[in-house]
Amino acid sequence: MCQMNAKMHFRLACALLMLSFNCHVLGKNLKYRIYEEQRVGSVIARLSEDVADVLVKLPYHPAVRFRAMQRGNSPLLVVNEDTGEISIGAKIDREQLCQKNLNCSIEFDVITLPTEHLQLFHIEVEVLDINDNAPQFSRSLIPIEISESAAVGTRIPLDSAFDPDVGENSLHTYSLSANDFFNIEVRTRTDGAKYAELIVVRELDRELKSSYELQLTASDMGVPQRSGSSVLKISISDSNDNSPAFEQQSYIIQLLENSPIGTLLLDLNATDPDEGANGKIVYSFSSHVSPKIIETFKIDSERGHLTLFKQVDYEITKSYEIDVQAQDLGPNSIPAHCKIIIKVVDVNDNKPEININFMSPGKEEISYIFEGDPVDTFVALVRVQDKDSGLNGEIVCKLHGHGHFKLQKTYENNYLILTNATLDREKRSEYSLTVIAEDKGTPSLSTVKHFTVQINDINDNPPHFQRSRYEFAISENNSPGAYITTVTATDPDLGENGQVTYTILESFILGSSITTYVTIDPSNGAIYALRIFDHEEVSQITFVVEARDAGSPKQLVSNTTVVLTIIDENDNVPVVIGPVLRNNTAEISIPKGAESGFHVTRIRAIDRDSGVNAELSCSIVAGNEENIFLIDPRSCDVHTNVSMESVPHTEWELWVIIQDKGNPQLHTKVLLKCVIFEYAESVTSTAMTSVSQASLDVSMIIIISLGAICAVLLVIMVLFATRCNREKKDTRSYNCRVAESTYQHHPKRPSRQIHKGDITLVPTINGTLPIRSHHRSSPSSSPTLERGQMGSRQSHNSHQSLNSLVTISSNHVPENFSLELTHATPAVEVSQLLSMLHQGQYQPRPSFRGNKYSRSYRYALQDMDKFSLKDSGRGDSEAGDSDYDLGRDSPIDRLLGEGFSDLFLTDGRIPAVQL
């Protein structure tokens, strides 16, 4: 018994692990063997170990799960999804599961999860038999009647014992208790069942012994061996001269499985030469036939017709073996026996069967997959079978319904239904598919099965606004909490994936959070005002509304921009900013000499509103009954309509209304007090108008002043830079005396021509007038400009005397020379000076000090070298310089002649020099 228990828990993983990679098969076929009657929960296999070579190739190997595709609420074998352990889920009784079939197995399929890289494993678990049943006879007492005249060797069939076990555990042999007259022989029927025949081995004599009781034992070969027995009660009767006899001892009949009930199978004919009751034959089944035969067939006891009493099925029983006996009605009748073997012929009478297994158990007609799953996602597992044999059992399977799905064969009659495209629930949420299985028999039989594929929703669609920008308007001065508008976003997803909530993203307006201006209902997108809007403060509010779904694992969002325009209302009165008002009154002065059209004043007003609400117009409503004043409605300029000299009054009080064009119109009323004042001189209308317009804003005056100051500073800087640049260039003085004395010694050098522009009059403190030399490159020293300036002042200085000293050169004038010019005779004194210079009375007397000449002068300038017209280019002047020539006219003569001639006007007067 211990050995049997060890076998019961024995687990064998079969070596047949068929790895298939062609287009029709996925994964492996796995075969295991277990013994029946094992304890529930016993582990028979571990898929994670047995298919490790396949799993290691999957990208998500550590997270792989297993799903058994089985039908029924209480499967015999269960699969742990996480570990892949196959264990016993319920008691397995092989005799109940497979009856007498030699091959008994449990088959199902296991797929891997997730299904993106689907692997299919076909599991076949063979259930092995244990010797848990003993052979049994249907009757514990088997009566047998034999005539004493029965010949040696006569055979009488006995009841068969039944053992539901198979193989060595099934019925193996019969044995008969020891005796001298009978023996048994074990025979096998066409269906494999064994039975025993009783054989007479010695002549019987009723007078010696009329009955026998022998024990018939049936036993198997199992471990432990089991047996069952029945008692044979054999009665010896008197001899009957003649017994019935069949034409044949055995018959073989072919019976189509679709034969109708009542079909005549065989007309038995047994003969008995006796007459009367001894010759009348009765037909019947032998007493040891099984109840199954009695239920299926019927024999006419008088005529011997064997007919079909119940429909046969080749798929259940392929053959029948019937023992029939014929017995006359005479005393001590000895029955004759005949064996009839009926072979059932298969016909295409079974339609193919279709079994569809889905991922979600419970609803057999609906398969659920998620939208967005990749191509080749698992939908269903289809298994087709046909109980017929041969071509009648060969099946062709097809899938109809939609091109987004395909049927792929895995092994034998198993198929996978996979997706052929990525599905979108928002486009189509349900598909109806049809599986058709058709055999190859004649005529062909087919089975059709429909099922539905439901597409589960995933959060793959963000909320969608109809527009990316919404523009709305609301009037200012609204009430807090006022409804503004509603923005909605649609989400085609289902459930929480399509549940949209709305929020306003944080932003700031004038330093305040947007949430202090507006709010939004998170459930429906309705927008409300939180404060009173003022167009003059904020004319437009722009904010972003976010729509977010409640999907998982990730929430999706979308945004839209809302532009809220604040519509202006006429809620601001005009405000007068000019002229200056005191107690809403302005005082205006009008000159007495103002003519008609004189500009009195301009009323300047502003309105914080916009549009027509800010368009202002002015009108005089009181105080102008005589129409002395006119006002422009648009510019609000007030003019006189008559001359002020002709008006008897000197004061007026004008009431002016400044109003906008809004609805309703708002206005401001001001009082203008106009007063006439008198000028010393007559004032024309045009002049007075310019005076009245001199009222400027303080800010404009400040700006103009600053600009003027900057301009003056810029001019001063430019002049200073120009003067510094000029003094740098004039680094040497021209000495007239040295130049003249050395002029003739340098014939090769070009003569230096002195022009009258090189001599200017320089005023000094004591009234002397020195002659200064300037380079021609300085356009600012042009004598033409000097003369133009002096000429412009002749009329104002004609009576002034020339009190100046003409200094020619330190080399031509003695140290103690000084020419005093009187105010009475300026022309005579100048003529004397010119005469002395022409006569050459003053010769040059050089005095060297280093490389310069030193002289003391009575005038203020200390260094006259810088006023030299030209030197030789060296640091001193010598007699050999080309600037000096004793034999010709001195350039000084020509220069002085031209210079002083310009001092005299055409009328003989010397123009005055203005400092």
Side-chain angles (χ1 to χ4, degrees), residues 440-664:
K440 296 181 179 180
T442 304
S444 177
L445 300 178
S446 63
T447 300
V448 177
K449 196 162 188 177
H450 304 278
F451 70 98
T452 301
V453 178
Q454 291 278 358
I455 310 301
N456 289 335
D457 182 58
I458 63 172
N459 193 24
D460 60 339
N461 291 284
H464 175 70
F465 289 99
Q466 292 182 352
R467 289 179 289 175
S468 61
R469 179 185 177 92
Y470 291 87
E471 295 186 2
F472 303 100
I474 184 174
S475 298
E476 63 174 337
N477 301 319
N478 58 287
S479 59
Y483 170 77
I484 300 176
T485 187
T486 298
V487 292
T488 57
T490 58
D491 194 327
D493 294 327
L494 295 178
E496 292 185 349
N497 295 335
Q499 182 178 346
V500 181
T501 56
Y502 303 89
T503 55
I504 295 177
L505 297 184
E506 181 65 29
S507 61
F508 292 90
I509 298 176
L510 299 180
S512 298
S513 173
I514 185 63
T515 56
T516 64
Y517 285 83
V518 291
T519 185
I520 190 169
D521 190 327
S523 60
N524 57 23
I527 301 175
Y528 299 91
L530 290 180
R531 63 166 63 180
I532 299 176
F533 294 142
D534 188 355
H535 173 82
E536 290 71 39
E537 179 184 355
V538 178
S539 61
Q540 192 176 76
I541 299 175
T542 302
F543 55 93
V544 177
V545 175
E546 178 188 84
R548 179 185 298 271
D549 61 31
S552 61
K554 181 181 180 181
Q555 295 179 346
L556 302 180
V557 299
S558 62
N559 297 335
T560 188
T561 301
V562 178
V563 179
L564 183 61
T565 301
I566 312 301
I567 300 176
D568 182 51
E569 288 187 346
N570 195 21
D571 58 344
N572 291 280
V573 298
V575 177
V576 176
I577 61 174
V580 179
L581 299 179
R582 291 183 177 85
N583 296 326
N584 215 31
T585 302
E587 295 183 358
I588 307 297
S589 298
I590 304 174
K592 179 66 176 178
E595 301 293 336
S596 176
F598 174 78
H599 184 271
V600 177
T601 188
R602 170 177 291 178
I603 301 175
R604 291 181 292 115
I606 60 173
D607 193 324
R608 293 184 63 201
D609 295 325
S610 61
V612 295
N613 296 330
E615 294 182 9
L616 304 180
S617 62
C618 300
S619 63
I620 301 175
V621 297
N624 192 32
E625 290 77 8
E626 298 178 358
N627 292 326
I628 295 177
F629 299 94
L630 297 176
I631 189 168
D632 190 327
R634 291 189 177 180
S635 64
C636 294
D637 287 331
V638 180
H639 296 83
T640 59
N641 195 26
V642 297
S643 174
M644 291 292 99
E645 294 180 349
S646 63
V647 177
H649 305 290
T650 60
E651 293 184 2
W652 293 267
E653 291 187 356
L654 303 179
W655 286 99
V656 179
I657 286 183
I658 303 95
Q659 65 180 5
D660 56 31
K661 297 181 180 180
N663 186 19

Side-chain angles (χ1 to χ4, degrees), residues 676-863:
I676 294 179
F677 70 96
E678 294 186 1
Y679 271 137
E681 300 178 1
S682 298
V683 181
T684 64
S685 174
T686 304
M688 300 310 295
T689 301
S690 62
V691 171
S692 66
Q693 291 179 347
S695 175
L696 297 175
D697 291 338
V698 175
S699 60
M700 183 62 69
I701 295 175
I702 294 176
I703 293 174
I704 294 174
S705 302
L706 292 176
I709 293 173
C710 293
V712 171
L713 291 176
L714 180 62
V715 171
I716 293 174
M717 293 175 64
V718 171
L719 293 176
F720 183 76
T722 304
R723 182 176 179 85
C724 291
N725 186 40
R726 185 177 60 194
E727 291 180 355
K728 282 183 179 180
K729 293 181 179 180
D730 297 338
T731 58
R732 298 298 304 269
S733 299
Y734 184 81
N735 192 305
C736 296
R737 178 175 173 274
V738 177
E740 265 190 328
S741 63
T742 59
Y743 178 77
Q744 59 184 353
H745 301 288
H746 299 278
K748 294 182 180 181
R749 295 186 179 181
S751 63
R752 170 71 167 94
Q753 297 295 328
I754 301 177
H755 300 276
K756 61 182 179 180
D758 296 328
I759 303 175
T760 59
L761 298 178
V762 180
T764 60
I765 298 177
N766 56 2
T768 60
L769 182 65
I771 300 175
R772 300 180 62 187
S773 172
H774 296 274
H775 292 285
R776 290 183 180 270
S777 60
S778 177
S780 62
S781 59
S782 172
T784 304
L785 180 60
E786 297 287 342
R787 289 194 301 268
Q789 292 174 349
M790 290 186 295
S792 64
R793 300 183 181 94
Q794 281 182 354
S795 60
H796 299 286
N797 303 286
S798 57
H799 300 287
Q800 297 181 0
S801 59
L802 181 62
N803 186 17
S804 302
L805 176 65
V806 180
T807 303
I808 306 300
S809 172
S810 62
N811 294 323
H812 288 76
V813 182
E815 295 181 357
N816 57 356
F817 176 81
S818 175
L819 179 61
E820 300 292 338
L821 298 180
T822 66
H823 297 282
T825 58
V828 175
E829 294 172 347
V830 172
S831 299
Q832 293 175 359
L833 175 62
L834 294 176
S835 177
M836 293 170 66
L837 292 174
H838 281 288
Q839 292 175 4
Q841 296 179 9
Y842 303 103
Q843 296 300 324
R845 289 175 296 178
S847 176
F848 287 95
R849 290 184 181 179
N851 61 350
K852 290 187 178 180
Y853 292 97
S854 175
R855 287 289 186 270
S856 299
Y857 304 99
R858 296 177 59 190
Y859 50 87
L861 297 178
Q862 298 298 321
D863 188 0

Side-chain angles (χ1 to χ4, degrees), residues 167-321:
E168 294 183 351
N169 297 325
S170 65
L171 178 61
H172 178 69
T173 187
Y174 294 91
S175 61
L176 188 64
S177 58
N179 68 92
D180 296 331
F181 294 93
F182 303 97
N183 200 356
I184 60 173
E185 182 180 348
V186 180
R187 307 192 67 177
T188 303
R189 295 192 182 100
T190 56
D191 60 356
K194 294 183 178 181
Y195 68 96
E197 291 182 345
L198 184 64
I199 302 175
V200 179
V201 295
R202 290 182 63 179
E203 292 182 358
L204 301 175
D205 188 352
R206 184 177 184 278
E207 285 76 17
L208 293 176
K209 191 171 183 179
S210 59
S211 63
Y212 298 89
E213 287 188 3
L214 303 177
Q215 185 175 357
L216 180 62
T217 301
S219 58
D220 57 29
M221 292 287 292
V223 178
Q225 187 177 35
R226 296 179 181 271
S227 61
S229 61
S230 179
V231 176
L232 297 179
K233 189 173 182 180
I234 302 172
S235 299
I236 306 300
S237 61
D238 289 336
S239 63
N240 190 348
D241 294 339
N242 297 294
S243 297
F246 287 97
E247 293 179 354
Q248 294 180 223
Q249 292 296 316
S250 63
Y251 297 88
I252 297 178
I253 300 173
Q254 301 288 333
L255 175 63
L256 296 175
E257 63 174 332
N258 60 349
S259 298
I261 296 175
T263 300
L264 179 62
L265 303 179
L266 184 62
D267 184 5
L268 293 174
N269 185 19
T271 59
D272 191 335
D274 293 333
E275 295 180 358
N278 293 337
K280 190 176 183 179
I281 301 175
V282 177
Y283 298 94
S284 64
F285 293 117
S286 298
S287 59
H288 61 270
V289 296
S290 63
K292 185 177 181 180
I293 292 177
I294 297 175
E295 294 173 356
T296 307
F297 302 97
K298 183 179 181 181
I299 190 169
D300 189 333
S301 60
E302 293 182 358
R303 293 181 300 174
H305 291 173
L306 180 63
T307 58
L308 185 61
F309 185 71
K310 182 181 178 181
Q311 190 85 35
V312 296
D313 190 350
Y314 174 83
E315 288 70 37
I316 297 177
T317 305
K318 295 179 174 53
S319 65
Y320 297 90
E321 192 169 318

Side-chain angles (χ1 to χ4, degrees), residues 37 56 97 123 165 167 207 215 240 276 337 395 402 404 415 560 575-576 656 671 725 764:
E37 304 290 346
V56 74
L97 180 64
I123 309 300
D165 295 328
E207 285 76 17
Q215 185 175 357
N240 190 348
H337 297 274
I395 304 172
H402 203 279
H404 287 343
Y415 300 85
T560 188
V575 177
V576 176
V656 179
L671 176 61
N725 186 40
T764 60

